[in-house]
Amino acid sequence: MALPFGLGAAVSAGLYKLQNEPDISFSSFLLFLGVAMSITAFPVLARILAELKLLRTNVGAITMASGLINDCTAWVLLALVVALMNSSGGIEALYVFLTAVGFTLFVLFIIGPLYRKLCHYTQSYENGPSPLLMTVTLMMVMISAFVTNIIGIHAIFGGFLAGVIVPHENDLSIKITEKIEDMVNIVFLPLYFTLSGLKTQIGLLDSGAVWGYVILVIFLACFGKIVGCTAAAKLCGMTYRESFTVGFLMNCKGLVELIVLNIGHDAGVLNDQIFVIMVMMALITTFMTTPGVIYLYPEWYQKQQQQLQHHRESSSIPSNSIDVIVHEKGDDDDSTSIGQPPAYCLVSLINHIELTPSMMTLMQLLYPFQMYALRLLELTQRTSTVMTFKKKEFGQDDVILNVLRTFSNMLLGRCLETHLDFCNVGEIMKTVANYGQEVHADMILIPVLLADTSRGLEWVQEIFSLNSSCDVGVWVDRGSFGQSPEETQIAVVLSKESRATILSFVLQLLKQRNEKKIKLTVLSTEPDDWMTTEEKSYVAHYLVFDHVGSIATLLHTRPYDLIIVGRPQQQQEEDEKRMPITVSHRSLSSSSSMNASQQQQDNRRDYEAAFGFVGAQMLLQEEFRNTSVLVVQAKSESSS
């Protein structure tokens, strides 16, 4: 912070001459420019780190800590500068400063404990903020802002003090933010940007000298933050890429800089022309942050650093790490014992509480395998989302993952590996594929609900279009698997494209479960000559079909609890060539006007586009309405 403050003080001499207003004290102008040049937008910084998935990395942790200290120091200096600007002499400035300190102590040590007692009285910790607590909170913010404005510093410092005393226990601060952030984002924030835009007169940049100062201010702002923070990060042992990334992140000015500039403009320290120059600097430094970080700290480099860190810390990481720590299965993984083959590894995605029963059934079926439960929450534009992501307890208090862990520990006798993360809606599949690659998954197996048929089928197509380095499967639970007390009937439909994948999966399951209650039926277009003697020993019935239309007839001989089929890789391309997918655009009115046969044909085509011909046949046949279906697509040669 010292380097950009010094550079801001240096450039203030030229800007003070350009402003040419002797009524403004040069010392106040110098201090204000130094503070404005050293600002880092902490909220914007947290948002950028969350979107780039750097918040929980080493770079993110160091940047957040540095940004927090930087912002606190800058706001204290800014309060001092405002006090000096609003006073006519040294005694008055001292009076303003001591009054501000006294009011701060009053809020922290008198109002704070009373506010905590009110939280307990209204049971806001357990049930969320009550109407009484929200009323008191808003009144406290307004009164505190009014008092600080009368004192002579600024109303924003009163709001800041009111926010400091809000407790963080039981996520109360996040719940209060959730209640007020819509009003702030919809009404107050646009109004603030509108007022800032009205004050910004681009036409005042009307000469070469002024544009020279614009370029100089931008250069000094970037040089001070990037060089200073990069050097500090490098001295702390970070790599050059990580150090420059920290420098670019700390160079972000954002909304906080606009707030500071508006304070200076309202106080008369900055005239309209200097205000425009500083706004240009704030916009440029903010816009360049995200592209610079993406270029300096790409995903491949992050993965490389994670692997190096994993190898350095492999001896100290416990084998039962869960939640935020990503467990990687390497050569020295404890899950592989000497003389035994490595455990089959699966990653499953659960994003809705309605999928919990299906996930439990899947865990019951695949309990010998190493399973990772991944839960992704949407990274929205709300401030409360980023606040939730920054919590230390993030991932440990998620209801769905806690239920699955308890189910796994108590009923299956093993620990379930879980991971909770935020991502944008359009990056869900990419995040799943990256996580599967990190844990070296053999298959990504995702349970789905088909209650909302149109959205459900589109979601299935997105799953199978996943560009993953492992096999992909979709689990449709019909509530029948595992209910038979005597034996479980599993049918496997093999094709040339998925024969090796499905058979390997099923045989490993039978070997590791070592149960005789599972009766396996195999359907194939070829005789069983290609199977080994060991593989044949696990098969109770082997049926040969000549065309896919006869599969349903062969399966009618006995009731099955689970049917496993393959989906060819080229299925999606063939269906896209044959007809456009218009599931999401079909309205209720158009559906009602169609005759029943045409609607059934369209429904069948939609299912075939999502699950393949055989998978659609198993899901649409009335005889299999109580049979769970697992559709597996083998990984492509390019991804492998």
Side-chain angles (χ1 to χ4, degrees):
M1 186 175 179
L3 182 59
F5 187 92
L7 294 176
V11 78
S12 64
L15 293 177
Y16 185 75
K17 292 180 180 179
L18 180 65
Q19 181 167 280
N20 194 22
E21 292 185 5
D23 296 338
I24 304 300
S25 171
F26 176 69
S27 59
S28 299
F29 188 83
L30 182 147
L31 289 174
F32 185 86
L33 260 294
V35 173
M37 294 284 280
S38 58
I39 283 288
T40 295
F42 185 76
V44 180
L45 179 64
R47 180 73 195 187
I48 293 175
L49 290 172
E51 289 187 348
L52 298 180
K53 298 187 180 301
L54 298 176
L55 202 55
R56 297 190 175 276
T57 62
N58 187 34
V59 170
I62 291 178
T63 306
M64 287 294 289
S66 304
L68 180 61
I69 297 174
N70 184 291
D71 253 20
C72 292
T73 306
W75 282 110
V76 172
L77 292 176
L78 183 61
L80 180 61
V81 172
V82 174
L84 291 174
M85 290 187 302
N86 293 333
S87 61
S88 57
I91 299 298
E92 186 177 351
L94 180 62
Y95 169 78
V96 171
F97 177 74
L98 293 179
T99 306
V101 171
F103 180 72
T104 301
L105 297 177
F106 173 77
V107 171
L108 295 178
F109 296 103
I110 303 298
I111 303 299
L114 293 176
Y115 186 81
R116 290 177 178 270
K117 288 184 179 180
L118 180 63
C119 295
H120 283 289
Y121 174 76
T122 57
Q123 297 182 348
S124 298
Y125 287 121
E126 296 81 9
N127 305 323
S130 64
L132 175 60
L133 183 71
M134 290 301 304
T135 303
V136 172
T137 302
L138 294 177
M139 291 180 60
M140 182 176 62
V141 171
M142 295 177 184
I143 294 174
S144 180
F146 177 73
V147 171
T148 54
N149 189 51
I150 291 177
I151 291 174
I153 44 179
H154 197 275
I156 193 172
F157 296 101
F160 175 78
L161 289 176
V164 168
I165 66 174
V166 174
H168 290 259
E169 290 84 353
N170 289 13
D171 299 336
L172 182 61
S173 60
I174 298 177
K175 295 173 183 177
I176 291 177
T177 304
E178 291 174 347
K179 285 187 173 293
I180 64 175
E181 63 183 345
D182 286 340
M183 181 62 68
V184 172
N185 293 332
I186 295 173
V187 179
F188 297 123
L189 199 59
L191 286 176
Y192 186 83
F193 277 113
T194 301
L195 293 175
S196 298
L198 292 175
K199 296 176 185 177
T200 306
Q201 304 178 39
I202 302 296
L204 295 177
L205 305 178
D206 53 0
S207 65
V210 175
W211 276 105
Y213 273 111
V214 171
I215 297 173
L216 178 63
V217 168
I218 294 174
F219 172 77
L220 292 179
C222 296
F223 182 85
K225 276 290 186 181
I226 295 177
V227 174
C229 296
T230 299
K234 186 59 183 174
L235 291 176
C236 293
M238 303 183 74
T239 64
Y240 281 105
R241 278 186 177 270
E242 292 176 336
S243 301
F244 275 105
T245 302
V246 171
F248 266 82
L249 287 169
M250 292 294 292
N251 189 44
C252 179
K253 305 295 184 184
L255 178 61
V256 177
E257 180 73 8
L258 292 180
I259 294 174
V260 172
L261 296 178
N262 275 279
I263 292 175
H265 186 270
D266 295 339
V269 181
L270 304 179
N271 64 5
D272 292 339
Q273 192 174 52
I274 305 301
F275 180 77
V276 175
I277 294 175
M278 298 301 292
V279 168
M280 292 290 292
M281 178 271 296
L283 294 177
I284 295 297
T285 54
T286 303
F287 292 155
M288 65 184 290
T289 301
T290 301
V293 172
I294 293 176
Y295 175 78
L296 290 170
Y297 204 57
E299 291 186 4
W300 65 265
Y301 186 78
Q302 297 177 36
K303 293 179 181 179
Q304 184 183 79
Q305 293 300 114
Q306 289 176 0
Q307 292 176 357
L308 292 175
Q309 184 177 3
H310 172 71
H311 287 303
R312 289 195 299 264
E313 300 178 356
S314 59
S315 58
S316 61
I317 295 180
S319 59
N320 59 346
S321 317
I322 59 174
D323 293 318
V324 185
I325 299 178
V326 178
H327 177 80
E328 295 186 352
K329 185 173 67 176
D331 298 334
D332 52 351
D333 193 356
D334 295 336
S335 61
T336 304
S337 57
I338 299 177
Q340 295 182 358
Y344 197 87
C345 178
L346 295 108
V347 169
S348 186
L349 175 68
I350 176 166
N351 276 357
H352 303 285
I353 194 170
E354 295 85 358
L355 290 171
T356 305
S358 299
M359 185 66 185
M360 290 180 175
T361 305
L362 190 62
M363 292 167 57
Q364 188 178 2
L365 168 66
L366 306 174
Y367 76 85
F369 292 164
Q370 178 68 47
M371 288 196 66
Y372 294 84
L374 175 63
R375 178 160 161 74
L376 298 177
L377 304 179
E378 181 183 356
L379 183 62
T380 64
Q381 298 297 323
R382 298 175 181 270
T383 306
S384 56
T385 303
V386 181
M387 295 174 64
T388 303
F389 198 18
K390 291 192 297 181
K391 290 192 311 177
K392 290 183 179 179
E393 300 81 9
F394 177 73
Q396 299 176 2
D397 53 359
D398 185 78
V399 176
I400 296 179
L401 293 183
N402 284 339
V403 169
L404 294 179
R405 282 196 293 265
T406 303
F407 175 78
S408 179
N409 291 332
M410 296 184 62
L411 299 182
L412 303 181
R414 64 177 302 164
C415 180
L416 176 68
E417 305 285 348
T418 60
H419 183 73
L420 180 65
D421 202 353
F422 276 97
C423 71
N424 296 319
V425 176
E427 298 181 349
I428 292 180
M429 289 294 100
K430 179 182 177 182
T431 305
V432 174
N434 291 339
Y435 184 70
Q437 187 176 4
E438 288 177 4
V439 300
H440 303 277
D442 297 291
M443 180 182 293
I444 295 175
L445 192 54
I446 301 178
V448 297
L449 292 175
L450 298 179
D452 182 9
T453 305
S454 59
R455 179 58 193 139
L457 294 179
E458 287 182 350
W459 173 239
V460 171
Q461 287 182 330
E462 292 179 18
I463 295 173
F464 283 121
S465 63
L466 185 66
N467 186 17
S468 173
S469 59
C470 59
D471 306 322
V472 179
V474 169
W475 165 260
V476 182
D477 183 23
R478 302 289 185 87
S480 60
F481 184 82
Q483 295 183 359
S484 177
E486 297 179 358
E487 61 183 14
T488 301
Q489 296 284 346
I490 298 179
V492 178
V493 182
L494 301 180
S495 60
K496 291 184 178 180
E497 296 88 352
S498 58
R499 182 173 66 183
T501 300
I502 295 180
L503 192 62
S504 173
F505 168 77
V506 174
L507 292 182
Q508 288 202 48
L509 175 64
L510 296 178
K511 290 177 183 179
Q512 296 195 34
R513 286 179 67 108
N514 195 22
E515 291 185 5
K516 302 299 182 181
K517 292 184 178 180
I518 297 181
K519 301 297 182 181
L520 179 63
T521 301
V522 176
L523 286 80
S524 178
T525 55
E526 302 175 354
D528 60 352
D529 301 339
W530 55 275
M531 298 180 65
T532 64
T533 305
E534 181 184 5
E535 292 173 345
K536 292 180 181 179
S537 64
Y538 290 97
V539 179
H541 305 281
Y542 191 95
L543 306 177
V544 179
F545 62 92
D546 52 356
H547 59 88
V548 293
S550 62
I551 295 177
T553 305
L554 294 174
L555 292 177
H556 286 167
T557 56
R558 60 178 58 84
Y560 289 96
D561 300 289
L562 173 63
I563 298 178
I564 304 177
V565 302
R567 182 184 188 274
Q569 274 283 345
Q570 67 273 17
Q571 177 69 39
Q572 185 176 2
E573 298 178 0
E574 293 177 355
D575 288 318
E576 288 178 352
K577 293 177 182 179
R578 184 174 59 185
M579 63 165 293
I581 306 302
T582 58
V583 179
S584 59
H585 303 290
R586 184 181 301 140
S587 62
L588 293 177
S589 58
S590 62
S591 298
S592 60
S593 62
M594 296 169 61
N595 58 63
S597 59
Q598 182 64 34
Q599 188 173 359
Q600 289 180 359
Q601 291 178 5
D602 290 342
N603 191 40
R604 177 176 293 275
R605 282 195 291 265
D606 294 338
Y607 268 82
E608 290 177 2
F611 294 97
F613 182 82
V614 180
Q617 192 178 26
M618 298 300 101
L619 291 170
L620 294 176
Q621 287 282 346
E622 184 67 20
E623 294 80 359
F624 305 119
R625 65 181 181 276
N626 295 324
T627 302
S628 299
V629 178
L630 174 60
V631 182
V632 178
Q633 177 177 280
K635 61 184 176 182
S636 61
E637 296 181 359
S638 59
S639 61
S640 59

